[in-house]
Amino acid sequence: MSVSAQARIRTGVPVRPVRPGQRRARMLAGTSRWLFVTPAVVFVAIFFGYPIVKNVIMSFQDYSTKTFFTGEAPWVGFANYVNVFGSSIFATSLINTGLFTVGSIVMQFAIGLGLALFFKRNFPLSGFLRGLLLLPWLLPIIASSAVWKWMLDQESGALNQFLGLFGIPAVPWLVSPSLALVAVIGVNIWLGIPFNTTILYSGIQAVPEELYEAASLDGATGWKAFWNITWPSIRSVVSVVIVLGVVYTLKVVDLILGLTGGGPANSTQTLATNAYHQSFVNFQFGVGAAVSNVLIVVSFVFAMVYLAITRKAVDE
Amino acid sequence: MKPRSPIQRRTRFGGLLGAVAMMATVPLILTGCSGGGGSSSSGSAKNLTIEDYYQASYDPIYKTCATQVGATVTINHVAGAGLIAKVLQQASSRTLPDVLMLDNPDVQQIAASGALSPLSDYGLSAKGLVPAVEAANTYKGDLYGLQPVTNSIALYYNKKLLSAAGVTPPKTWDELRAAAKKLTTGKTYGFAMSNINTYEGTWQFLPYFWSNGGDEKNIATTGATQALQFDLDLQNDGSMSKSSINWAQADVNNQFIAGKAAMMINGPWQLPLLNAAKGLEFDSVPIPTRAGEATVAPLGGEAFTVPVTKDTAKMKLAGKFVGCLNAEKMQSTIAGVTGNVPTNITAADAWATTHPQVASFVTTVKTARARTGELGPDWPKAATKIYTAVQLALTGKASPEAALQQAQSQNQ
């Protein structure tokens, strides 16, 4: 049996003996099908495949400023990886990346879901308020981080001035190494709420109203309705929001650079800022590539999870 | 709008035709250019491209020198932080400008890549300039950049606050510490500097570090420990805000202008802002050292270089242009525009007498040290270690001694 016949069986089209003219038509159909795929394949190869392969190659090279002019990048084997894993900053960056990601995701999601449920009921100005909520999403991150840096200033920052009204002494938000990470995560949560709210809100909107009506007849309202109707219905949306959130959060650089630059004393250094620093401050592009490859592997795991979830959602 | 006469309409139409004709010649011009830039070294085009991260206030200077060497210039101002990335990109696509400005600690890094041509090819040398200029711009025995003007950092003080407290400008660490303590009142800190986790923080810490015998090859020494301890003492006394670990030099300047700091470490590039501040009376002295020895501060300022392009005739012209920028008289003109210090020693001395505000910087620059003088292209790693140590100590994560040791062994 030919491959196309197999395909036809799968698609449910009955197999019939083929006439020559029909075969040519089908071959043309086959090539045109591939023609439709080609642009996507070329696009992915150029804009996703090439940079990743290049990055992997770079991590095994001594890629310095010299390379840009001469094109020479000597092979150094695993030296860059040895350098990265042996650095005292690596462990800190790894832990901080974990704390930053988990902290941001959990809070963004919890607050996002809360707001989405809140906006489910219609009340005056709810549309306007929902629009307003998108604001953090619309601002350039570097602008948000500059404003937050200003607001979190220990002595003249708006936040401490406000807390001062209640007799709370000035909090060293970005100055204390133990608080800086908390402050940075806080700002990132603020940034991520609109995304979570918007996606979850649309998921909740898609739940048919009849389900709630039927449930209320059976006495399921409030929390009961949420756990038995809303939550199961939006489960696939939830997984997508979380997995996408993780991938976005892992690679956050601009926000941290804008707020603390990885400091004080490396207390907010993550894998992403570490990679940036190695490449664009120390000009060690090979080492920077090695760090970012570690990050790529971590993101890749989550991307796979995302693919599995979305495929399942489509199959359902 | 005036009604158009038929003649006007015709000229408009003519203009359109002209534009079309121009469009048609664009490819010709382009091919003409690439041909000229290629094998032929006749250098028919006398246009030099310049790339820097300055403001438009530099343009008249460039134009003056362009007229002098018989060229026209195309000036391209790039944002400061983006310059190196752009230069690397241009190096790989072979589109470097004819004259390239670089921050002096970057010169050796770029020279090491082979993208710059030695200035001796154009008969230029660092003779008569402050010694650190040669050290900063020399890579493997060849001079690659020349700085018409330079800068460094000094101790600014608020005249009114000091005289009110009966304090004279300090010369030693003990005097600085005592003065800072005395000047700290209410919302005003006695002293401010940048201890941020960037090269700015390193640059500001270097005068303590170098003047006390610190060396970037091994930062964990007794001299360096004393320097870092002094920095920490100022903070522990409450004379320096704990926020200094987040302050860039511009932030420090804002604190000083706002009257929230009585003394600060900063550079002459702040003079325009300081002079514009109403009611602020200030002056500056070289940064105090432990026992009043000469200050060893880092050499600042930007160098002009001639990148390797295919057109040797143009490179020669660019060399002449760089020579013009560095001529003694031109240096004073540039210093007037930027508030910096001429690098020519005689020009600098003359400048100090006519411009008392930069006198302390002239003194400092003479004995200044180039950041890349010792380690060359390896300087960025050492700079990272130094600010890391400062941050570890000031945030209380380690004692000065442990902080320096930790940073020195940090595999960066």
Side-chain angles (χ1 to χ4, degrees), chain A residues 165-228:
Chain A
L165 296 179
F166 305 100
I168 299 165
V171 183
W173 294 111
L174 298 175
V175 174
S176 151
S178 47
L179 263 181
L181 190 64
V182 176
V184 169
I185 292 173
V187 176
N188 193 49
I189 291 169
W190 175 81
L191 270 179
I193 289 172
F195 172 73
N196 282 263
T197 310
T198 310
I199 306 288
L200 291 171
Y201 178 79
S202 63
I204 290 169
Q205 289 297 94
V207 181
E209 200 55 39
E210 297 89 61
L211 285 179
Y212 293 102
E213 281 165 17
S216 69
L217 290 178
D218 295 335
T221 50
W223 273 110
K224 264 188 190 160
F226 174 77
W227 279 121
N228 294 310

Side-chain angles (χ1 to χ4, degrees), chain B residues 153-156 168-177 179 191 207-209 211-212 230 263-265 285-296 364:
Chain B
I153 37 180
L155 183 78
Y156 281 97
T168 50
K171 287 194 180 70
T172 65
W173 283 0
D174 287 342
E175 283 173 29
L176 174 62
R177 200 175 162 187
F191 175 80
Y208 299 157
F209 178 80
S211 303
N212 204 43
F230 175 64
M263 299 185 284
M264 70 160 174
I265 291 182
V285 289
I287 293 167
T289 52
R290 195 153 69 97
E293 311 93 334
T295 311
V296 187
T364 302

Side-chain angles (χ1 to χ4, degrees), chain A residues 62-98:
Chain A
D62 179 15
Y63 207 100
S64 60
T65 43
K66 200 174 181 171
T67 313
F68 285 87
F69 191 73
T70 60
E72 292 163 20
W75 295 99
V76 291
F78 284 91
N80 290 332
Y81 287 95
V82 171
N83 186 337
V84 168
F85 293 123
S87 157
S88 55
I89 289 210
F90 183 73
T92 323
S93 312
L94 199 63
I95 294 168
N96 285 347
T97 308

